[in-house]
């Protein structure tokens, strides 16, 4: 049974290949020479044949009758070359089909109940929607060769195969046989959707788009054989997993753009430097950034399909790549220090040691909801974030080891031991954010998060458990 299914699906895919067919070649024996000799006419005629065929393949016959009268017989009057008759027939069918499209899209929405999936389905139906309000009615009749008309329909249904016209052939019987084969293969694909690859599913959809008149509710029943399902039902059966929301547990990592700055200062006066020629305040500037975060998250499903507010997501991150740098502009402070006034004096620099960092800690908790699905795998979330950053750092200042000495005939003490200073940066922030997500293979979610002009992150979530 499995082998038979594969064979029948391959047959069905061969039918779907009619979509890019050049119909001017299929009907070349019945078209005027300009269809092959002039590129502009060739493209226009091929597009018209494609359009008429999907509306009702019988229109191919009427269109070719018009081309024959216009370009072979050189009849330019639209009332005499069958142009107005063709347009009148087309208008009637197009208006009926547009009414059907409006009705069927309402049924599609009730069936899928997901805006993003409905939008994809509606775009398929919209390909059939055509404005034909400019046509006028005519009473002129067209002499019809019923067998040739049926032959033209059969050719379209048989693509990419081609058979020459045979007066002895019963084309109505062949049309019935061909439509039965197409409908049976479509039904087989619908019933065995889980066995098909995405490419095979796309090919089946393309076949339905090529033969919309075989759908069960098509506004006119042209053929005895029609499907027992609608296009939207087929689409939903094929791609419902692509629009489904799951409960998920995932691991996550992100790269953070943005700095956390700290500034401190202390006064040198009274710090064993009673006399000096420099500023009273020594400034420290520290810049820290938490480049890499890692953690876990989970998604709680709220509804079955992708839509606004369809899930609630929580993410817990811990900093694993905190970097801190000293951004201080160290002054070489000149001082004049007198141990015994008028007897002994020293002149030199106060030297600031480099800053050392310790106890670097960062964690973040994020909660978010989807608010927009731009495409099936591209969505936007809004949420709120709580983050905490903690950093300890220290520095020291001391005198030169070899200062310049004045009045050195008297000994005196010169203290070069450092003065140590310890500081801490601790920042907590609650902030709203917006995230753009792109889902790849239902397992890898790439995201960009904007928390503010000073904090942007790029990350990936890898789904570990999905149910």
């Amino acid at each position: 049974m499995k082998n038979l299914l594969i064979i029948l699906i391959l047959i069905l895919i061969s039918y779907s290949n009619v979509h890019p067919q050049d119909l001017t070649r299929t009907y070349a024996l019945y078209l005027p020479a300009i269809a092959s000799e002039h590129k502009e006419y060739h493209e226009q005629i091929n597009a018209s044949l494609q359009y008429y065929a999907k509306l009702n393949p019988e229109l191919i016959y009427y269109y070719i009758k018009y081309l024959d009268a216009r370009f072979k017989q050189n009849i330019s009057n639209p009332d005499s070359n069958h142009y107005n008759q063709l347009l009148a027939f087309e208008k009637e069918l197009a208006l009926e089909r547009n009414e059907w499209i409006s009705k069927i899209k309402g049924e599609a929405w009730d069936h899928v109940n997901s805006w993003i999936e409905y939008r994809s389905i509606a775009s398929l139906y919209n390909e059939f929607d055509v404005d034909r309000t400019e046509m006028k009615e005519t009473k002129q009749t067209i002499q019809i060769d019923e067998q040739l008309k049926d032959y033209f329909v059969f050719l379209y249904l048989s693509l990419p195969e081609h058979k020459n016209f045979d007066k002895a052939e019963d084309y109505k019987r062949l049309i019935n046989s061909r439509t039965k084969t197409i409908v049976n293969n479509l039904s087989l694909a619908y019933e065995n959707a889980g066995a098909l690859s995405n490419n095979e599913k796309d090919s089946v959809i393309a076949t339905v788009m090529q033969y919309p008149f075989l759908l069960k509710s098509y506004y006119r029943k042209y053929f005895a054989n029609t499907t027992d399902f609608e296009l939207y039902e087929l689409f939903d059966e094929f791609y419902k997993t692509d629009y489904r929301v799951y409960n998920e547990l995932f691991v996550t990592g992100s790269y953070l753009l943005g700095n956390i700055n700290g500034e401190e200062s202390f006064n040198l006066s009274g710090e064993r430097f009673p006399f000096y020629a420099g500023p009273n305040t020594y400034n420290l500037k520290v810049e820290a950034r938490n480049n890499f975060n890692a953690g876990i998250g989970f998604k709680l499903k709220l509804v079955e399909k992708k839509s606004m507010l369809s899930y609630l997501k929580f993410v817990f991150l811990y900093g694993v790549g905190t970097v801190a740098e000293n951004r201080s502009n160290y002054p070489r402070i000149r001082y004049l220090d007198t141990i015994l006034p008028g007897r002994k004096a020293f002149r030199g620099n106060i030297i600031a040691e480099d800053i050392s960092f310790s106890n670097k800690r960062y964690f973040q908790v994020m909660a978010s909801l989807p608010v927009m699905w731009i495409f099936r795998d591209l969505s936007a979330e809004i949420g709120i974030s709580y983050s905490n950053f903690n950093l300890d750092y220290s520095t020291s200042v001391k005198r030169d080891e070899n200062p310049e000495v004045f009045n050195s005939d008297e000994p005196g003490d010169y203290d070069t031991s450092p003065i140590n200073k310890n500081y801490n940066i601790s920042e907590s922030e609650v902030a709203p954010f917006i995230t753009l997500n792109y889902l790849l293979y239902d397992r890898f979610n790439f995201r960009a998060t904007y928390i503010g002009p000073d904090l942007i992150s790029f990350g990936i979530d890898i789904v570990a458990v999905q149910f």
Side-chain angles (χ1 to χ4, degrees):
M1 177 63 187
K2 184 176 180 181
N3 291 335
L4 177 61
L5 172 63
I6 294 175
I7 293 173
L8 291 175
I9 293 302
L10 290 175
I11 294 174
L12 179 61
I13 292 173
S14 73
Y15 286 135
S16 70
N17 289 333
V18 302
H19 184 69
Q21 278 282 338
D22 185 350
L23 294 185
T24 61
R25 294 184 179 181
T26 304
Y27 298 97
L29 293 176
Y30 304 91
L31 296 175
I34 62 167
S36 58
E37 294 175 356
H38 300 278
K39 181 179 180 181
E40 181 178 350
Y41 280 107
H42 171 87
E43 293 176 352
Q44 181 179 345
I45 291 173
N46 183 56
S48 296
L49 286 170
Q50 295 280 0
Y51 164 70
Y52 289 128
K54 293 178 184 179
L55 185 60
N56 175 5
E58 291 184 354
L59 286 178
I60 296 174
Y61 175 81
Y62 297 101
Y63 181 56
I64 291 178
K65 287 279 287 185
Y66 154 69
L67 293 176
D68 181 82
R70 175 65 183 87
F71 296 102
K72 288 185 178 181
Q73 303 177 41
N74 293 318
I75 301 174
S76 58
N77 188 330
D79 286 323
S80 303
N81 63 16
H82 311 306
Y83 182 72
N84 285 340
Q85 292 83 1
L86 171 65
L87 292 189
F89 193 12
E90 179 197 359
K91 175 183 178 180
E92 181 182 358
L93 297 180
L95 293 178
E96 288 183 16
R97 189 167 74 170
N98 288 351
E99 292 178 3
W100 168 73
I101 291 171
S102 178
K103 174 179 176 294
I104 206 70
K105 286 198 294 187
E107 294 181 8
W109 170 254
D110 293 336
H111 181 79
V112 300
N113 197 29
S114 167
W115 170 249
I116 183 65
E117 183 178 3
Y118 169 77
R119 190 171 64 180
S120 298
I121 294 173
S123 67
L124 296 177
Y125 283 111
N126 288 341
E127 292 187 25
F128 304 137
D129 198 350
V130 181
D131 181 15
R132 284 292 183 266
T133 58
E134 77 284 359
M135 305 169 195
K136 64 180 182 179
E137 296 182 1
T138 178
K139 294 183 179 180
Q140 185 180 356
T141 59
I142 302 177
Q143 186 176 359
I144 299 174
D145 183 336
E146 291 289 343
Q147 189 183 31
L148 186 61
K149 182 180 71 172
D150 291 340
Y151 169 68
F152 286 169
V153 173
F154 172 72
L155 277 184
Y156 182 70
L157 294 171
S158 301
L159 290 169
E161 301 175 15
H162 182 85
K163 292 184 179 181
N164 293 327
F165 180 70
D166 184 354
K167 281 185 174 291
E169 189 64 80
D170 181 358
Y171 287 106
K172 290 188 183 297
R173 178 186 62 82
L174 293 179
I175 288 172
N176 184 69
S177 175
R178 181 64 70 180
T179 56
K180 184 177 181 179
T181 299
I182 295 173
V183 168
N184 286 344
N185 285 336
L186 289 173
S187 298
L188 185 63
Y190 178 67
E191 294 165 2
N192 297 274
L196 305 182
S197 68
N198 285 337
N199 287 338
E200 290 168 339
K201 292 175 183 178
D202 292 343
S203 296
V204 174
I205 293 294
T207 300
V208 176
M209 296 297 293
Q210 197 71 17
Y211 305 128
F213 41 77
L214 295 180
L215 289 168
K216 74 173 183 179
S217 72
Y218 200 65
Y219 61 95
R220 286 195 181 188
K221 193 173 180 65
Y222 296 111
F223 307 100
N225 302 299
T226 57
T227 65
D228 56 0
F229 55 83
E230 299 292 356
L231 173 59
Y232 65 79
E233 293 175 316
L234 178 68
F235 186 94
D236 187 49
E237 186 65 25
F238 277 1
Y239 305 110
K240 59 186 177 183
T241 57
D242 294 339
Y243 298 94
R244 183 175 295 169
V245 178
Y246 298 92
N247 294 309
E248 294 177 348
L249 178 66
F250 55 88
V251 294
T252 183
S254 62
Y255 181 83
L256 192 65
L257 297 178
N259 298 320
I260 299 173
N261 299 315
E263 292 193 22
E264 297 287 350
S265 62
F266 60 86
N267 197 305
L268 294 177
S269 61
E271 298 283 0
R272 301 203 304 269
F273 309 119
F275 306 99
Y276 58 91
N280 290 329
T281 303
Y282 178 69
N283 295 311
L284 297 177
K285 291 184 179 181
V286 172
E287 182 179 274
R289 55 188 178 276
N290 194 65
N291 291 136
F292 297 100
N293 302 318
I296 61 171
F298 66 88
K299 182 191 293 184
L300 179 63
K301 177 177 67 175
L302 300 180
V303 298
E304 288 297 322
K305 289 188 175 181
K306 294 177 180 178
S307 61
M308 182 183 295
L309 310 181
S310 56
Y311 61 80
L312 179 61
K313 182 193 290 186
F314 294 95
V315 177
F316 303 89
L317 294 166
Y318 186 81
V320 295
T322 303
V323 176
E325 296 181 2
N326 180 8
R327 297 298 187 186
S328 303
N329 184 16
Y330 283 134
R332 303 292 288 180
I333 301 176
R334 296 288 295 175
Y335 71 89
L336 178 62
D337 195 357
T338 303
I339 301 303
L340 296 174
R343 301 285 303 276
K344 191 176 183 71
F346 308 90
R347 181 182 290 118
N349 291 325
I350 294 178
I351 301 173
E353 298 292 338
D354 198 7
I355 295 177
S356 61
F357 301 95
S358 61
N359 297 325
K360 295 175 285 190
R361 298 182 299 276
Y362 179 85
F363 71 91
Q364 185 178 27
V365 180
M366 308 173 74
S368 59
L369 291 160
V371 292
M372 179 185 297
W373 293 89
I374 305 168
F375 300 108
R376 183 179 63 188
D377 298 319
L378 184 63
S379 63
E381 297 173 354
I382 60 172
I384 191 165
S385 164
Y386 170 77
S387 60
N388 178 267
F389 179 83
N390 190 84
L391 173 67
D392 293 334
Y393 64 98
S394 61
T395 188
S396 63
V397 294
K398 65 179 182 178
R399 290 180 169 130
D400 276 339
E401 296 286 344
N402 300 300
E404 184 180 357
V405 180
F406 298 88
N407 301 326
S408 57
D409 54 329
E410 295 289 342
D413 295 328
Y414 181 74
D415 190 353
T416 60
S417 61
I419 301 172
N420 297 314
K421 294 290 184 179
N422 300 307
Y423 300 97
N424 171 265
I425 297 176
S426 182
E427 288 191 8
S428 296
E429 183 180 26
V430 177
F433 67 86
I434 182 170
T435 294
L436 194 65
N437 297 294
Y438 177 70
L439 184 63
L440 185 64
Y441 302 125
D442 292 325
R443 292 286 176 178
F444 305 96
N445 180 55
F446 298 91
R447 54 183 170 80
T449 301
Y450 178 83
I451 302 179
D454 298 325
L455 204 58
I456 301 173
S457 69
F458 299 92
I460 181 173
D461 307 326
I462 303 175
V463 177
V465 179
Q466 189 179 73
F467 59 95

